[in-house]
Amino acid sequence: MSANGVQQLMEGVKLGNEDDVRASVSKYYGETLQKSSDLKTSACCTAKSPPKEAIDILRQLPQEIISKYYGCGSPFPRGLMGSGLRVLDLGCGSGRDCYVCAALVGEKGFLTGIDMTPAQLEVAEQHSAAWQQHLGYAQPNMKFVKGSIEQLDAAGIPPASVDIVISNCVINLSPDKAAVLQQVHRVLAPGGEMYFSDVYCDRRLPAEVRSHEVLLGECLGGALAVDDFVHLAQQAGFHEPRVLEAEPITVHDSELKALLGDAAFYSITFR
């Protein structure tokens, strides 16, 4: 991609002032939304059932963790069961996917969840000890860290320290998606992989949509065009991402539909 093309790409995915965006997102998920039924679109709702082994674990989770889950996909790689792998969950929220993966990887594996919203982390940590006891583990294999997904180094995540990075409907909320992908590439061990379930659009969105508080919180305002995500991933050092699952997203709110016009959105899981 040419220098001019890179500049156009970065301008086309910019959400605004980084601190303002983070504050808006943290408020939306920490205060505005109290449960998943408060959502105005299907963007932050999982469209397709997770793998059977994940469903079996989900049925055992505390209800509070389930009710405060706002993901759009199932970023659970095949082969996790008993693998002993080290997994990092970006924007872990209430910890639902961390709890599932902690059970899947086994006692020798380890899960780290990172999130910037204290209210969500409080829920994730509240049930952690009981979950580890439920799994019968002698030592905890899961921890939660407060921090920014654009600054994993500042959050204490060392280079080449994890085998798999997962994320569920979070990258779209980031004001600096290029930094997120660069940080993911940094923390992955040789041979490591990322599994991202997120919201994508069939076009670049205008600035008024990208800065709209509700559309941003509902994971639509910050949605990348698919081609832009591929370019950013390759610039960070990844091979071309592969689509594992894709489902259309429905916008229920008539006011939001009018703002979005003909833009089509999809929940896509990339590997």
Side-chain angles (χ1 to χ4, degrees), residues 36-119:
S36 54
S37 59
D38 293 335
L39 294 164
K40 298 178 183 296
T41 74
S42 69
C44 297
C45 303
T46 301
K48 195 171 182 178
S49 295
K52 182 183 182 303
E53 58 268 23
I55 292 176
D56 292 341
I57 297 168
L58 285 168
R59 291 178 177 144
Q60 305 172 48
L61 294 185
Q63 185 56 40
E64 184 179 22
I65 288 177
I66 298 295
S67 68
K68 292 183 178 294
Y69 162 75
Y70 307 115
C72 64
S74 301
F76 304 122
R78 301 290 182 181
L80 275 186
M81 185 71 75
S83 64
L85 292 174
R86 301 163 295 174
V87 181
L88 172 65
D89 184 4
L90 304 184
C92 62
S94 66
R96 191 201 80 150
D97 292 348
C98 288
Y99 278 64
V100 171
C101 288
L104 289 174
V105 299
E107 192 169 3
K108 293 183 179 179
F110 200 86
L111 260 294
T112 301
I114 181 170
D115 204 279
M116 67 175 183
T117 305

Side-chain angles (χ1 to χ4, degrees), residues 26-246:
S26 187
K27 179 182 178 182
Y28 200 78
Y29 284 89
E31 300 176 23
T32 304
L33 295 179
Q34 296 300 312
K35 53 189 182 302
S36 54
S37 59
D38 293 335
L39 294 164
K40 298 178 183 296
T41 74
S42 69
C44 297
C45 303
T46 301
K48 195 171 182 178
S49 295
K52 182 183 182 303
E53 58 268 23
I55 292 176
D56 292 341
I57 297 168
L58 285 168
R59 291 178 177 144
Q60 305 172 48
L61 294 185
Q63 185 56 40
E64 184 179 22
I65 288 177
I66 298 295
S67 68
K68 292 183 178 294
Y69 162 75
Y70 307 115
C72 64
S74 301
F76 304 122
R78 301 290 182 181
L80 275 186
M81 185 71 75
S83 64
L85 292 174
R86 301 163 295 174
V87 181
L88 172 65
D89 184 4
L90 304 184
C92 62
S94 66
R96 191 201 80 150
D97 292 348
C98 288
Y99 278 64
V100 171
C101 288
L104 289 174
V105 299
E107 192 169 3
K108 293 183 179 179
F110 200 86
L111 260 294
T112 301
I114 181 170
D115 204 279
M116 67 175 183
T117 305
Q120 287 282 78
L121 285 174
E122 183 179 349
V123 174
E125 291 172 336
Q126 181 179 345
H127 302 279
S128 178
W131 182 244
Q132 303 285 295
Q133 186 176 12
H134 173 76
L135 295 175
Y137 294 167
Q139 298 292 330
N141 78 334
M142 180 172 66
K143 70 174 182 179
F144 297 97
V145 177
K146 185 178 185 298
S148 162
I149 61 175
E150 299 89 357
Q151 298 174 321
L152 298 178
D153 47 357
I157 312 297
S161 62
V162 297
D163 303 302
I164 294 175
V165 176
I166 64 172
S167 183
N168 199 340
C169 210
V170 170
I171 307 303
N172 70 84
L173 300 170
S174 170
D176 190 348
K177 297 170 175 64
V180 174
L181 293 169
Q182 290 161 7
Q183 285 287 306
V184 169
H185 194 271
R186 183 188 68 85
V187 303
L188 279 171
E193 293 187 303
M194 66 175 185
Y195 283 73
F196 286 0
S197 293
D198 219 307
V199 176
Y200 298 89
C201 191
D202 64 348
R203 67 196 69 191
R204 289 182 184 172
L205 296 167
E208 60 269 22
V209 171
R210 300 200 306 269
S211 60
H212 191 281
E213 183 176 357
V214 174
L215 288 174
L216 180 61
E218 293 277 330
C219 299
L220 298 177
L224 283 172
V226 174
D227 288 345
D228 287 344
F229 170 72
V230 172
H231 285 309
L232 288 175
Q234 290 176 324
Q235 286 178 3
F238 290 102
H239 297 298
E240 184 170 349
R242 288 176 287 168
V243 175
L244 299 181
E245 294 179 354

Side-chain angles (χ1 to χ4, degrees), residues 201-206 208-209 215 220 249-251 253-265:
C201 191
D202 64 348
R203 67 196 69 191
R204 289 182 184 172
L205 296 167
E208 60 269 22
V209 171
L215 288 174
L220 298 177
I249 286 171
T250 303
V251 179
D253 188 275
S254 57
E255 183 179 342
L256 296 182
K257 287 178 70 173
L259 286 169
L260 293 170
D262 295 329
F265 295 86

